[in-house]
Amino acid sequence: GNLEWLDKSKSSFLVLWRRPEEWGKLIYQWVVKNGLTNSVFTLYELTSGDDTENEEFHGLDESMLLRALQALQQEHKAEIITLDDGRGVKFF
């Protein structure tokens, strides 16, 4: 479950350290643990901000972060939003 094909001919693939749903779970646990539900964050704040420096998802690739947040959005725990200077997320 941690290998993802990048093309239809299956000639290149991506090995995932964690699946997007697992990253989403870690991020949401951090949000709840720190009492940050109903808060809005930029994607940069989540992966590069001082508040997440000691978290496993700090430095996570933006494409994987988006997939993790999409998984949380499907569970109605977050909503990806467009901000003036990029994208953000609101947690519920």
Side-chain angles (χ1 to χ4, degrees), residues 1 4-5 7 10-11 13 19 23 25-26 29-30 33-34 41 46-47 49 53 57 70 73 87 89-90:
E4 186 175 286
W5 293 106
D7 58 359
K10 296 186 178 182
S11 62
F13 59 88
R19 294 176 50 222
W23 284 118
K25 184 176 179 180
L26 283 174
Q29 286 173 347
W30 174 80
K33 177 178 75 174
N34 290 289
F41 293 91
L46 287 176
T47 59
E53 206 167 42
F57 56 87
Q70 287 168 345
Q73 190 168 262
R87 289 189 224 176
V89 60
K90 180 174 182 176

PDB file of all heavy atoms in Angstrom, residues 1 4-5 7 10-11 13 19 23 25-26 29-30 33-34 41 46-47 49 53 57 70 73 87 89-90:
ATOM      1  N   GLY A   1       0.791  -1.199   0.000  1.00  0.00           N
ATOM      2  CA  GLY A   1       0.000   0.000   0.000  1.00  0.00           C
ATOM      3  C   GLY A   1       0.836   1.267   0.000  1.00  0.00           C
ATOM      4  O   GLY A   1       0.298   2.347  -0.008  1.00  0.00           O
ATOM      5  N   GLU A   4       3.129   3.766  -5.239  1.00  0.00           N
ATOM      6  CA  GLU A   4       2.144   4.382  -6.111  1.00  0.00           C
ATOM      7  C   GLU A   4       2.753   4.544  -7.500  1.00  0.00           C
ATOM      8  O   GLU A   4       3.818   5.139  -7.649  1.00  0.00           O
ATOM      9  CB  GLU A   4       1.764   5.743  -5.543  1.00  0.00           C
ATOM     10  CG  GLU A   4       0.656   6.433  -6.265  1.00  0.00           C
ATOM     11  CD  GLU A   4       0.263   7.707  -5.552  1.00  0.00           C
ATOM     12  OE1 GLU A   4      -0.392   7.607  -4.498  1.00  0.00           O
ATOM     13  OE2 GLU A   4       0.620   8.782  -6.045  1.00  0.00           O
ATOM     14  N   TRP A   5       2.095   3.981  -8.500  1.00  0.00           N
ATOM     15  CA  TRP A   5       2.574   4.092  -9.867  1.00  0.00           C
ATOM     16  C   TRP A   5       2.369   5.507 -10.377  1.00  0.00           C
ATOM     17  O   TRP A   5       1.315   6.100 -10.164  1.00  0.00           O
ATOM     18  CB  TRP A   5       1.853   3.097 -10.781  1.00  0.00           C
ATOM     19  CG  TRP A   5       2.207   1.679 -10.443  1.00  0.00           C
ATOM     20  CD1 TRP A   5       1.425   0.768  -9.817  1.00  0.00           C
ATOM     21  CD2 TRP A   5       3.451   1.024 -10.690  1.00  0.00           C
ATOM     22  NE1 TRP A   5       2.108  -0.415  -9.656  1.00  0.00           N
ATOM     23  CE2 TRP A   5       3.353  -0.287 -10.185  1.00  0.00           C
ATOM     24  CE3 TRP A   5       4.659   1.418 -11.284  1.00  0.00           C
ATOM     25  CZ2 TRP A   5       4.402  -1.205 -10.262  1.00  0.00           C
ATOM     26  CZ3 TRP A   5       5.696   0.501 -11.360  1.00  0.00           C
ATOM     27  CH2 TRP A   5       5.563  -0.792 -10.845  1.00  0.00           C
ATOM     28  N   ASP A   7       2.803   6.302 -13.715  1.00  0.00           N
ATOM     29  CA  ASP A   7       2.370   6.267 -15.109  1.00  0.00           C
ATOM     30  C   ASP A   7       1.606   4.980 -15.391  1.00  0.00           C
ATOM     31  O   ASP A   7       1.691   4.018 -14.641  1.00  0.00           O
ATOM     32  CB  ASP A   7       3.554   6.425 -16.057  1.00  0.00           C
ATOM     33  CG  ASP A   7       4.619   5.355 -15.855  1.00  0.00           C
ATOM     34  OD1 ASP A   7       4.465   4.501 -14.966  1.00  0.00           O
ATOM     35  OD2 ASP A   7       5.614   5.386 -16.590  1.00  0.00           O
ATOM     36  N   LYS A  10       3.426   1.636 -15.870  1.00  0.00           N
ATOM     37  CA  LYS A  10       4.061   1.136 -14.648  1.00  0.00           C
ATOM     38  C   LYS A  10       5.580   1.026 -14.796  1.00  0.00           C
ATOM     39  O   LYS A  10       6.188   0.033 -14.421  1.00  0.00           O
ATOM     40  CB  LYS A  10       3.444  -0.197 -14.218  1.00  0.00           C
ATOM     41  CG  LYS A  10       1.983  -0.064 -13.839  1.00  0.00           C
ATOM     42  CD  LYS A  10       1.420  -1.342 -13.278  1.00  0.00           C
ATOM     43  CE  LYS A  10      -0.027  -1.119 -12.877  1.00  0.00           C
ATOM     44  NZ  LYS A  10      -0.631  -2.281 -12.284  1.00  0.00           N
ATOM     45  N   SER A  11       6.174   2.082 -15.360  1.00  0.00           N
ATOM     46  CA  SER A  11       7.624   2.097 -15.499  1.00  0.00           C
ATOM     47  C   SER A  11       8.297   2.957 -14.429  1.00  0.00           C
ATOM     48  O   SER A  11       9.507   2.869 -14.247  1.00  0.00           O
ATOM     49  CB  SER A  11       8.022   2.615 -16.890  1.00  0.00           C
ATOM     50  OG  SER A  11       7.581   3.944 -17.066  1.00  0.00           O
ATOM     51  N   PHE A  13       7.587   4.702 -10.293  1.00  0.00           N
ATOM     52  CA  PHE A  13       6.707   4.682  -9.131  1.00  0.00           C
ATOM     53  C   PHE A  13       7.271   5.549  -8.027  1.00  0.00           C
ATOM     54  O   PHE A  13       8.421   5.982  -8.064  1.00  0.00           O
ATOM     55  CB  PHE A  13       6.492   3.253  -8.627  1.00  0.00           C
ATOM     56  CG  PHE A  13       7.764   2.535  -8.238  1.00  0.00           C
ATOM     57  CD1 PHE A  13       8.260   2.641  -6.954  1.00  0.00           C
ATOM     58  CD2 PHE A  13       8.457   1.776  -9.162  1.00  0.00           C
ATOM     59  CE1 PHE A  13       9.430   1.995  -6.596  1.00  0.00           C
ATOM     60  CE2 PHE A  13       9.616   1.118  -8.813  1.00  0.00           C
ATOM     61  CZ  PHE A  13      10.110   1.234  -7.516  1.00  0.00           C
ATOM     62  N   ARG A  19       1.078   6.911   3.911  1.00  0.00           N
ATOM     63  CA  ARG A  19      -0.011   7.217   2.992  1.00  0.00           C
ATOM     64  C   ARG A  19      -0.598   8.581   3.357  1.00  0.00           C
ATOM     65  O   ARG A  19      -0.501   9.028   4.504  1.00  0.00           O
ATOM     66  CB  ARG A  19      -1.063   6.127   3.090  1.00  0.00           C
ATOM     67  CG  ARG A  19      -0.509   4.788   2.581  1.00  0.00           C
ATOM     68  CD  ARG A  19      -1.452   3.623   2.716  1.00  0.00           C
ATOM     69  NE  ARG A  19      -2.754   3.927   2.171  1.00  0.00           N
ATOM     70  CZ  ARG A  19      -3.895   3.585   2.754  1.00  0.00           C
ATOM     71  NH1 ARG A  19      -3.898   2.925   3.877  1.00  0.00           N
ATOM     72  NH2 ARG A  19      -5.044   3.891   2.210  1.00  0.00           N
ATOM     73  N   TRP A  23      -0.671  10.782   7.049  1.00  0.00           N
ATOM     74  CA  TRP A  23      -0.168  12.135   7.283  1.00  0.00           C
ATOM     75  C   TRP A  23      -1.303  13.026   7.795  1.00  0.00           C
ATOM     76  O   TRP A  23      -1.100  13.824   8.716  1.00  0.00           O
ATOM     77  CB  TRP A  23       0.426  12.726   6.007  1.00  0.00           C
ATOM     78  CG  TRP A  23       1.781  12.192   5.663  1.00  0.00           C
ATOM     79  CD1 TRP A  23       2.122  11.486   4.546  1.00  0.00           C
ATOM     80  CD2 TRP A  23       2.988  12.328   6.422  1.00  0.00           C
ATOM     81  NE1 TRP A  23       3.448  11.174   4.576  1.00  0.00           N
ATOM     82  CE2 TRP A  23       4.011  11.681   5.717  1.00  0.00           C
ATOM     83  CE3 TRP A  23       3.291  12.930   7.639  1.00  0.00           C
ATOM     84  CZ2 TRP A  23       5.320  11.626   6.182  1.00  0.00           C
ATOM     85  CZ3 TRP A  23       4.604  12.869   8.107  1.00  0.00           C
ATOM     86  CH2 TRP A  23       5.596  12.226   7.374  1.00  0.00           C
ATOM     87  N   LYS A  25      -3.886  12.197   9.493  1.00  0.00           N
ATOM     88  CA  LYS A  25      -4.175  11.837  10.885  1.00  0.00           C
ATOM     89  C   LYS A  25      -3.163  12.489  11.827  1.00  0.00           C
ATOM     90  O   LYS A  25      -3.532  13.032  12.868  1.00  0.00           O
ATOM     91  CB  LYS A  25      -4.157  10.316  11.042  1.00  0.00           C
ATOM     92  CG  LYS A  25      -4.526   9.837  12.420  1.00  0.00           C
ATOM     93  CD  LYS A  25      -4.574   8.330  12.484  1.00  0.00           C
ATOM     94  CE  LYS A  25      -4.922   7.871  13.890  1.00  0.00           C
ATOM     95  NZ  LYS A  25      -4.969   6.421  13.991  1.00  0.00           N
ATOM     96  N   LEU A  26      -1.879  12.466  11.467  1.00  0.00           N
ATOM     97  CA  LEU A  26      -0.845  13.093  12.291  1.00  0.00           C
ATOM     98  C   LEU A  26      -1.060  14.604  12.406  1.00  0.00           C
ATOM     99  O   LEU A  26      -0.923  15.183  13.488  1.00  0.00           O
ATOM    100  CB  LEU A  26       0.540  12.831  11.707  1.00  0.00           C
ATOM    101  CG  LEU A  26       1.135  11.450  11.926  1.00  0.00           C
ATOM    102  CD1 LEU A  26       2.443  11.324  11.163  1.00  0.00           C
ATOM    103  CD2 LEU A  26       1.375  11.207  13.403  1.00  0.00           C
ATOM    104  N   GLN A  29      -4.111  15.288  14.603  1.00  0.00           N
ATOM    105  CA  GLN A  29      -3.791  15.050  16.015  1.00  0.00           C
ATOM    106  C   GLN A  29      -3.058  16.246  16.609  1.00  0.00           C
ATOM    107  O   GLN A  29      -3.323  16.653  17.735  1.00  0.00           O
ATOM    108  CB  GLN A  29      -2.950  13.780  16.175  1.00  0.00           C
ATOM    109  CG  GLN A  29      -3.722  12.517  15.986  1.00  0.00           C
ATOM    110  CD  GLN A  29      -2.830  11.281  15.984  1.00  0.00           C
ATOM    111  OE1 GLN A  29      -1.611  11.355  15.882  1.00  0.00           O
ATOM    112  NE2 GLN A  29      -3.461  10.117  16.069  1.00  0.00           N
ATOM    113  N   TRP A  30      -2.135  16.837  15.832  1.00  0.00           N
ATOM    114  CA  TRP A  30      -1.412  18.024  16.279  1.00  0.00           C
ATOM    115  C   TRP A  30      -2.377  19.192  16.477  1.00  0.00           C
ATOM    116  O   TRP A  30      -2.284  19.922  17.471  1.00  0.00           O
ATOM    117  CB  TRP A  30      -0.315  18.366  15.264  1.00  0.00           C
ATOM    118  CG  TRP A  30       0.374  19.646  15.556  1.00  0.00           C
ATOM    119  CD1 TRP A  30       1.366  19.858  16.478  1.00  0.00           C
ATOM    120  CD2 TRP A  30       0.117  20.913  14.954  1.00  0.00           C
ATOM    121  NE1 TRP A  30       1.735  21.179  16.466  1.00  0.00           N
ATOM    122  CE2 TRP A  30       0.990  21.857  15.542  1.00  0.00           C
ATOM    123  CE3 TRP A  30      -0.761  21.339  13.958  1.00  0.00           C
ATOM    124  CZ2 TRP A  30       0.999  23.193  15.171  1.00  0.00           C
ATOM    125  CZ3 TRP A  30      -0.747  22.673  13.589  1.00  0.00           C
ATOM    126  CH2 TRP A  30       0.131  23.587  14.192  1.00  0.00           C
ATOM    127  N   LYS A  33      -4.468  18.454  19.635  1.00  0.00           N
ATOM    128  CA  LYS A  33      -3.610  18.492  20.828  1.00  0.00           C
ATOM    129  C   LYS A  33      -3.285  19.928  21.239  1.00  0.00           C
ATOM    130  O   LYS A  33      -3.181  20.233  22.425  1.00  0.00           O
ATOM    131  CB  LYS A  33      -2.319  17.711  20.557  1.00  0.00           C
ATOM    132  CG  LYS A  33      -1.313  17.728  21.691  1.00  0.00           C
ATOM    133  CD  LYS A  33      -0.093  16.896  21.363  1.00  0.00           C
ATOM    134  CE  LYS A  33       0.750  17.670  20.362  1.00  0.00           C
ATOM    135  NZ  LYS A  33       2.041  17.023  20.066  1.00  0.00           N
ATOM    136  N   ASN A  34      -3.158  20.801  20.268  1.00  0.00           N
ATOM    137  CA  ASN A  34      -2.801  22.192  20.543  1.00  0.00           C
ATOM    138  C   ASN A  34      -4.002  23.135  20.582  1.00  0.00           C
ATOM    139  O   ASN A  34      -3.836  24.350  20.635  1.00  0.00           O
ATOM    140  CB  ASN A  34      -1.776  22.674  19.514  1.00  0.00           C
ATOM    141  CG  ASN A  34      -0.436  22.011  19.719  1.00  0.00           C
ATOM    142  OD1 ASN A  34       0.256  22.299  20.677  1.00  0.00           O
ATOM    143  ND2 ASN A  34      -0.091  21.086  18.847  1.00  0.00           N
ATOM    144  N   PHE A  41      -4.679  27.977   8.662  1.00  0.00           N
ATOM    145  CA  PHE A  41      -3.241  27.956   8.463  1.00  0.00           C
ATOM    146  C   PHE A  41      -2.935  28.016   6.978  1.00  0.00           C
ATOM    147  O   PHE A  41      -3.672  27.465   6.162  1.00  0.00           O
ATOM    148  CB  PHE A  41      -2.628  26.649   9.001  1.00  0.00           C
ATOM    149  CG  PHE A  41      -2.707  26.516  10.483  1.00  0.00           C
ATOM    150  CD1 PHE A  41      -3.795  25.898  11.067  1.00  0.00           C
ATOM    151  CD2 PHE A  41      -1.691  26.996  11.286  1.00  0.00           C
ATOM    152  CE1 PHE A  41      -3.876  25.766  12.444  1.00  0.00           C
ATOM    153  CE2 PHE A  41      -1.760  26.874  12.656  1.00  0.00           C
ATOM    154  CZ  PHE A  41      -2.856  26.258  13.237  1.00  0.00           C
ATOM    155  N   LEU A  46       2.143  25.115   8.026  1.00  0.00           N
ATOM    156  CA  LEU A  46       2.081  23.722   8.461  1.00  0.00           C
ATOM    157  C   LEU A  46       3.392  22.981   8.223  1.00  0.00           C
ATOM    158  O   LEU A  46       3.816  22.186   9.062  1.00  0.00           O
ATOM    159  CB  LEU A  46       0.948  22.983   7.750  1.00  0.00           C
ATOM    160  CG  LEU A  46      -0.459  23.343   8.200  1.00  0.00           C
ATOM    161  CD1 LEU A  46      -1.478  22.615   7.348  1.00  0.00           C
ATOM    162  CD2 LEU A  46      -0.658  23.009   9.670  1.00  0.00           C
ATOM    163  N   THR A  47       4.034  23.232   7.096  1.00  0.00           N
ATOM    164  CA  THR A  47       5.233  22.454   6.769  1.00  0.00           C
ATOM    165  C   THR A  47       6.538  23.154   7.112  1.00  0.00           C
ATOM    166  O   THR A  47       7.571  22.497   7.188  1.00  0.00           O
ATOM    167  CB  THR A  47       5.265  22.082   5.279  1.00  0.00           C
ATOM    168  OG1 THR A  47       5.254  23.274   4.493  1.00  0.00           O
ATOM    169  CG2 THR A  47       4.098  21.194   4.921  1.00  0.00           C
ATOM    170  N   GLY A  49       6.589  26.258   9.374  1.00  0.00           N
ATOM    171  CA  GLY A  49       6.450  27.207  10.479  1.00  0.00           C
ATOM    172  C   GLY A  49       7.137  26.758  11.751  1.00  0.00           C
ATOM    173  O   GLY A  49       7.423  25.566  11.949  1.00  0.00           O
ATOM    174  N   GLU A  53       7.862  22.737  13.998  1.00  0.00           N
ATOM    175  CA  GLU A  53       9.264  22.355  13.830  1.00  0.00           C
ATOM    176  C   GLU A  53       9.590  20.958  14.359  1.00  0.00           C
ATOM    177  O   GLU A  53      10.390  20.239  13.771  1.00  0.00           O
ATOM    178  CB  GLU A  53      10.147  23.386  14.526  1.00  0.00           C
ATOM    179  CG  GLU A  53      11.513  23.493  13.949  1.00  0.00           C
ATOM    180  CD  GLU A  53      12.236  24.722  14.459  1.00  0.00           C
ATOM    181  OE1 GLU A  53      12.143  25.025  15.672  1.00  0.00           O
ATOM    182  OE2 GLU A  53      12.878  25.373  13.640  1.00  0.00           O
ATOM    183  N   PHE A  57       5.476  15.922  10.332  1.00  0.00           N
ATOM    184  CA  PHE A  57       5.037  16.439   9.040  1.00  0.00           C
ATOM    185  C   PHE A  57       5.753  17.741   8.655  1.00  0.00           C
ATOM    186  O   PHE A  57       5.547  18.273   7.576  1.00  0.00           O
ATOM    187  CB  PHE A  57       3.514  16.630   8.995  1.00  0.00           C
ATOM    188  CG  PHE A  57       2.960  17.513  10.084  1.00  0.00           C
ATOM    189  CD1 PHE A  57       2.905  18.877   9.909  1.00  0.00           C
ATOM    190  CD2 PHE A  57       2.484  16.964  11.265  1.00  0.00           C
ATOM    191  CE1 PHE A  57       2.382  19.714  10.888  1.00  0.00           C
ATOM    192  CE2 PHE A  57       1.965  17.782  12.263  1.00  0.00           C
ATOM    193  CZ  PHE A  57       1.915  19.148  12.077  1.00  0.00           C
ATOM    194  N   GLN A  70      -6.684  16.808   1.713  1.00  0.00           N
ATOM    195  CA  GLN A  70      -7.871  16.346   0.976  1.00  0.00           C
ATOM    196  C   GLN A  70      -8.511  15.165   1.686  1.00  0.00           C
ATOM    197  O   GLN A  70      -9.738  15.053   1.749  1.00  0.00           O
ATOM    198  CB  GLN A  70      -7.493  15.987  -0.458  1.00  0.00           C
ATOM    199  CG  GLN A  70      -7.202  17.189  -1.315  1.00  0.00           C
ATOM    200  CD  GLN A  70      -6.551  16.832  -2.642  1.00  0.00           C
ATOM    201  OE1 GLN A  70      -6.062  15.724  -2.846  1.00  0.00           O
ATOM    202  NE2 GLN A  70      -6.512  17.800  -3.550  1.00  0.00           N
ATOM    203  N   GLN A  73     -10.364  16.584   4.476  1.00  0.00           N
ATOM    204  CA  GLN A  73     -11.551  17.265   3.957  1.00  0.00           C
ATOM    205  C   GLN A  73     -12.675  16.272   3.700  1.00  0.00           C
ATOM    206  O   GLN A  73     -13.844  16.550   3.990  1.00  0.00           O
ATOM    207  CB  GLN A  73     -11.176  18.012   2.670  1.00  0.00           C
ATOM    208  CG  GLN A  73     -12.243  18.937   2.156  1.00  0.00           C
ATOM    209  CD  GLN A  73     -11.714  19.858   1.071  1.00  0.00           C
ATOM    210  OE1 GLN A  73     -11.379  20.992   1.365  1.00  0.00           O
ATOM    211  NE2 GLN A  73     -11.638  19.378  -0.147  1.00  0.00           N
ATOM    212  N   ARG A  87      -2.685  28.976  -0.874  1.00  0.00           N
ATOM    213  CA  ARG A  87      -3.708  28.111  -0.293  1.00  0.00           C
ATOM    214  C   ARG A  87      -3.535  27.993   1.202  1.00  0.00           C
ATOM    215  O   ARG A  87      -2.447  28.136   1.726  1.00  0.00           O
ATOM    216  CB  ARG A  87      -3.619  26.710  -0.907  1.00  0.00           C
ATOM    217  CG  ARG A  87      -4.081  26.663  -2.317  1.00  0.00           C
ATOM    218  CD  ARG A  87      -4.184  25.248  -2.774  1.00  0.00           C
ATOM    219  NE  ARG A  87      -3.608  25.174  -4.105  1.00  0.00           N
ATOM    220  CZ  ARG A  87      -3.461  24.076  -4.783  1.00  0.00           C
ATOM    221  NH1 ARG A  87      -3.810  22.938  -4.269  1.00  0.00           N
ATOM    222  NH2 ARG A  87      -2.941  24.090  -5.983  1.00  0.00           N
ATOM    223  N   VAL A  89      -5.755  26.149   4.892  1.00  0.00           N
ATOM    224  CA  VAL A  89      -6.673  25.118   5.363  1.00  0.00           C
ATOM    225  C   VAL A  89      -7.294  25.573   6.680  1.00  0.00           C
ATOM    226  O   VAL A  89      -6.636  26.208   7.513  1.00  0.00           O
ATOM    227  CB  VAL A  89      -5.946  23.753   5.538  1.00  0.00           C
ATOM    228  CG1 VAL A  89      -4.820  23.843   6.552  1.00  0.00           C
ATOM    229  CG2 VAL A  89      -6.917  22.649   5.908  1.00  0.00           C
ATOM    230  N   LYS A  90      -8.579  25.285   6.825  1.00  0.00           N
ATOM    231  CA  LYS A  90      -9.278  25.527   8.090  1.00  0.00           C
ATOM    232  C   LYS A  90      -9.628  24.177   8.663  1.00  0.00           C
ATOM    233  O   LYS A  90     -10.138  23.302   7.961  1.00  0.00           O
ATOM    234  CB  LYS A  90     -10.542  26.349   7.879  1.00  0.00           C
ATOM    235  CG  LYS A  90     -11.262  26.605   9.189  1.00  0.00           C
ATOM    236  CD  LYS A  90     -12.441  27.527   9.044  1.00  0.00           C
ATOM    237  CE  LYS A  90     -13.052  27.751  10.428  1.00  0.00           C
ATOM    238  NZ  LYS A  90     -14.148  28.699  10.390  1.00  0.00           N
TER     239      LYS A  90
END
